[in-house]
């Protein structure tokens, strides 16, 4: 399987190879046009833009959370329109610590495409180090992307209900601690976490400069999840809407652990069912 994390230098050395597809995933919650505008102003040469909400999510409904999974066929069609085929080696980047790029990584693997990586550090670091940037729009040659959906990578609300208190499954909440504890909830209607879930804030995978920490440090930060996986337990990771959980899944894959599923609807889906239990405080 392709390394889920690659460096700026790795991409710089390969960016003009014909099978490399570079995808700009910058997006700002609360300012939905900011990412596309930033891409228009400056991006890595050859990069195409995919929008978190219009391309990498389905429309919001009663259930499914704030960023529901896109329809597989619709996503495959959009990938083809962006020039991405089943033969492409995809490298995704953003300026949000890899959060949105990791969402694309997860979605591509869900469609059966393993040749995808997240670029470490993001666009700002790329630009700061003097690597090439452009405002020119790439000439896109439409391609065909045939999805082969891997349902085992995704968990739904019923899977999570069954996981509560199940010694064979570990739930991992990727939000910051105050939201997990229920001390505050700036986005969703209810505060707290899914009962029996542990907390592993996704940004703990990054250092102060936004660079991914070493493998040893990642292993320490995700030790509870790794211990579960090494004991043949399943791990289901969630966050607020199925986006910021993805870096934790990338981190686990980078350490060789693949028996991990994303609860795609995450907390915003969980609380859309009035009967679902909510926990607060430490587990």
């Amino acid at each position: 399987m392709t390394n889920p994390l690659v460096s700026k230098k790795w991409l710089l050395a390969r960016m003009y190879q014909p099978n490399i597809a570079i995808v700009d995933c910058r997006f700002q919650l609360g300012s939905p046009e900011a990412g596309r505008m930033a891409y228009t102003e400056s991006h890595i040469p050859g990069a195409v833009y995919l929008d978190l909400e219009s391309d990498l999510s389905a429309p919001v409904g009663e259930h499914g959370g704030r960023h529901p999974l896109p329809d597989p066929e619709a996503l495959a069609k959009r990938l083809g329109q962006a020039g991405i085929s089943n033969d492409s080696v995809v490298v995704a980047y953003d300026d949000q610590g890899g959060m949105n790029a990791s969402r694309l990584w997860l979605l591509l693997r869900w469609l059966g495409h393993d040749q995808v990586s997240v670029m470490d550090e993001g666009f700002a670091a790329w630009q700061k180090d003097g690597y090439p940037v452009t405002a020119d729009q790439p000439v896109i040659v439409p391609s065909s992307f045939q999805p082969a959906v891997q349902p085992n990578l995704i968990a739904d609300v019923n899977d999570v209900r069954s996981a509560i208190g199940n010694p064979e499954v570990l739930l991992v909440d990727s939000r910051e601690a105050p939201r997990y504890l229920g001390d505050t909830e700036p986005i969703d209607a209810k505060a707290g976490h899914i009962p029996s879930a542990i907390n592993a804030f996704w940004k703990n995978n990054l250092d102060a400069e936004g660079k991914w920490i070493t493998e040893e440090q990642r292993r320490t930060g995700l030790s509870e999840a790794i211990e579960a996986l090494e004991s043949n337990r399943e791990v289901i990771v969630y966050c607020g809407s199925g986006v910021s959980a993805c870096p934790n899944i990338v981190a686990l894959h980078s350490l060789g652990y693949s028996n991990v599923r994303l609860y795609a609807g995450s907390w915003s889906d969980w609380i859309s069912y009035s009967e679902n239990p909510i926990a607060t405080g430490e587990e």
Side-chain angles (χ1 to χ4, degrees):
M1 188 179 68
T2 302
N3 189 339
L5 290 169
V6 297
S7 68
K8 303 190 305 295
K9 286 185 177 180
W10 186 97
L11 179 57
L12 182 68
R14 296 164 176 83
M15 59 188 295
Y16 296 112
Q17 293 180 2
N19 66 330
I20 294 286
I22 306 171
V23 184
D24 188 316
C25 299
R26 284 177 286 176
F27 185 88
Q28 291 184 26
L29 292 175
S31 182
E33 292 301 315
R36 189 177 298 276
M37 290 174 60
Y39 167 80
T40 301
E41 292 172 2
S42 185
H43 53 264
I44 295 176
V48 297
Y49 183 76
L50 291 179
D51 183 90
L52 172 63
E53 294 188 341
S54 62
D55 297 320
L56 307 183
S57 305
V60 176
E62 180 183 2
H63 301 298
R66 285 183 279 109
H67 293 109
L69 283 183
D71 174 77
E73 294 294 337
L75 177 57
K77 181 180 179 181
R78 180 68 187 92
L79 293 169
Q81 291 170 341
I84 298 170
S85 75
N86 298 88
D87 295 325
S88 297
V89 176
V90 181
V91 179
Y93 71 88
D94 59 33
D95 251 348
Q96 286 73 40
M99 179 178 72
N100 301 318
S102 295
R103 166 78 169 202
L104 176 59
W105 176 91
L106 187 284
L107 290 178
L108 280 167
R109 295 194 65 258
W110 176 54
L111 295 188
H113 189 80
D114 287 344
Q115 295 221 84
V116 54
S117 302
V118 174
M119 188 187 80
D120 194 5
E121 298 182 83
F123 180 75
W126 174 280
Q127 190 172 35
K128 179 182 177 182
D129 286 353
Y131 290 12
V133 299
T134 185
D136 296 339
Q137 297 293 312
V139 176
I140 297 174
V141 178
S143 187
S144 175
F145 187 98
Q146 300 299 321
V149 175
Q150 308 295 305
N152 59 305
L153 299 184
I154 301 297
D156 63 18
V157 65
N158 291 318
D159 296 319
V160 176
R161 285 169 178 157
S162 299
I164 294 175
N166 184 343
E168 300 300 316
V169 186
L170 178 67
L171 295 171
V172 177
D173 187 316
S174 302
R175 299 171 300 162
E176 56 189 325
R179 294 182 68 193
Y180 166 83
L181 295 170
D183 295 341
T184 184
E185 182 45 67
I187 302 174
D188 292 307
K190 297 178 182 178
H193 61 266
I194 299 171
S196 79
I198 66 164
N199 184 220
F201 185 33
W202 74 272
K203 282 191 175 180
N204 291 344
N205 292 303
L206 309 175
D207 65 17
E209 279 74 47
K211 182 179 175 65
W212 283 71
I213 57 179
T214 66
E215 288 192 10
E216 182 179 352
Q217 291 169 325
R218 270 177 262 155
R219 191 173 294 276
T220 300
L222 291 166
S223 59
E224 288 182 88
I226 290 170
E227 182 180 351
L229 290 164
E230 290 182 342
S231 302
N232 293 318
R233 296 171 66 191
E234 182 185 1
V235 170
I236 297 175
V237 186
Y238 76 92
C239 55
S241 68
V243 180
S244 64
C246 295
N248 271 340
I249 300 176
V250 168
L252 287 167
H253 273 258
S254 74
L255 297 171
Y257 300 97
S258 58
N259 187 25
V260 184
R261 289 201 282 173
L262 170 71
Y263 174 24
S266 285
W267 181 249
S268 52
D269 175 62
W270 183 258
I271 62 173
S272 70
Y273 297 89
S274 59
E275 68 272 24
N276 281 348
I278 292 173
T280 57
E282 294 282 1
E283 287 287 343

